[in-house]
Structure formats: structure tokens, C-alpha cells
Amino acid sequence: EMSENLFEKAKAAASSVTEKVSSLKENLWDDEKAEIINQFKEKAEGKLNEVIETINKYKSLFTEAGYDIHSMSASMSIPPDISMTFTFLGAVDKAKREDILSRASESKLATIMLKSLFKASDFAETVKVGQMKLKSIVITLGLIPGISITIS
């Protein structure tokens, strides 16, 4: 009886996490996703350089927002798939987020990336597992955009 109860609890917890993950994919990130696809359809050439320039230009803003660019990988295709891993430094409040977004507003790419990072952080808050905390976020830019989180 006891063990069955635990099993049911674990199953319910797992399915709620799964539900949350799929709802992140469906709703939470739709606008950014569509925007990334547009960006990569339009000017496929020179996309990698544009992303690198954006990261360099806004590096301190990303840090201020709570994310440190850790590594980057790119596929050798046109347009490329570009994956960036950000280390999570800590959350900033809504007012600070809005201030940061307004300072990135001249760059569509920086804005999309920041919004995506913020959404991933908020999502990580909803899938708290014991003492585990959000460690990093991977954003993939390209024609098949993706976003994933690592908690540990």
C-alpha cells in the first residue's frame, strides 16, 4: 500500500513536469520561435557573424540580466544552427528585466535571446526538483530553434 502510494506520487510528479515541458514548447516560446525562424530565413548568409557580433556587443547586458555566455557551437550549413550555452548567474526582477530589454531594443536578435533566457528562467522556477537549481540554458538559433535548461 505504502509503496504503491509513493509510486503514484512519483508518477503524478513526472507527468506534471512533462506537461509543463510540453506547454513551454507550445505556448511560452511561440513568438520568439517564429521571430528566430524569420530572422534566419531572411538573411541566411552572415548569420553566424551577426550572432557573434550581437553577443560581443551585448555581453555585459546579458551578464547584468543574469546570464553569462559559456560556449557556442555552430553547424556548417547556411543558415547555420547556432547553439549557445549560458550559465545562469541569478534572477533579476521584472523592472530590471524591462530596463535591460529597453537597452537591447535596437537589436532584434539580442531582444529575442534575452526574452528566451527570461522565459527559460521562469520555466525553471516551475519545475523545482528538491534542492536543484537552474545552472544553464541552451538556446539554439536557426530554422529549428530550440531551448533547454539544465538543473542540478
Side-chain angles (χ1 to χ4, degrees), residues 4-20:
E4 194 178 293
N5 203 357
L6 273 176
F7 177 69
E8 286 305 315
K9 271 190 182 147
K11 221 166 66 172
S15 74
S16 83
V17 168
T18 310
E19 262 165 46
K20 282 174 184 160

Side-chain angles (χ1 to χ4, degrees), residues 60-98:
S60 63
L61 205 55
F62 280 106
T63 305
E64 209 180 307
Y67 311 94
D68 190 35
I69 179 90
H70 178 259
S71 62
M72 188 169 173
S73 62
S75 66
M76 286 165 40
S77 58
I78 291 174
D81 290 313
I82 303 164
S83 288
M84 288 159 293
T85 303
F86 291 88
T87 305
F88 181 59
L89 307 172
V92 297
D93 65 26
K94 198 173 177 343
K96 181 88 173 143
R97 282 183 178 190
E98 279 164 14

Side-chain angles (χ1 to χ4, degrees), residues 38-47 50 79:
N38 283 339
Q39 289 270 316
F40 275 72
K41 261 187 197 153
E42 282 165 23
K43 319 178 280 285
E45 300 281 343
K47 237 357 174 197
E50 190 190 330

Side-chain angles (χ1 to χ4, degrees), residues 18-143:
T18 310
E19 262 165 46
K20 282 174 184 160
V21 172
S22 58
S23 72
L24 169 76
K25 284 197 181 113
E26 284 158 29
N27 320 320
L28 204 80
W29 201 51
D30 277 359
D31 300 346
E32 287 77 15
K33 202 171 172 176
E35 187 57 56
I36 291 167
I37 294 168
N38 283 339
Q39 289 270 316
F40 275 72
K41 261 187 197 153
E42 282 165 23
K43 319 178 280 285
E45 300 281 343
K47 237 357 174 197
L48 184 58
N49 285 347
E50 190 190 330
V51 171
I52 292 169
E53 278 165 22
T54 302
I55 293 277
N56 283 335
K57 185 174 178 186
Y58 293 95
K59 196 176 190 319
S60 63
L61 205 55
F62 280 106
T63 305
E64 209 180 307
Y67 311 94
D68 190 35
I69 179 90
H70 178 259
S71 62
M72 188 169 173
S73 62
S75 66
M76 286 165 40
S77 58
I78 291 174
D81 290 313
I82 303 164
S83 288
M84 288 159 293
T85 303
F86 291 88
T87 305
F88 181 59
L89 307 172
V92 297
D93 65 26
K94 198 173 177 343
K96 181 88 173 143
R97 282 183 178 190
E98 279 164 14
D99 170 52
I100 287 166
L101 285 169
S102 73
R103 284 151 60 204
S105 62
E106 78 220 30
S107 166
K108 242 181 180 166
L109 204 54
T111 302
I112 294 167
M113 285 162 61
L114 283 163
K115 283 183 174 172
S116 300
L117 289 164
F118 290 149
K119 287 190 174 179
S121 297
D122 292 345
F123 172 69
E125 282 298 305
T126 69
V127 288
K128 276 268 156 61
V129 185
Q131 294 303 302
M132 295 204 271
K133 287 187 169 69
L134 177 63
K135 288 289 186 281
S136 62
I137 299 168
V138 177
I139 296 179
T140 303
L141 302 176
L143 294 178

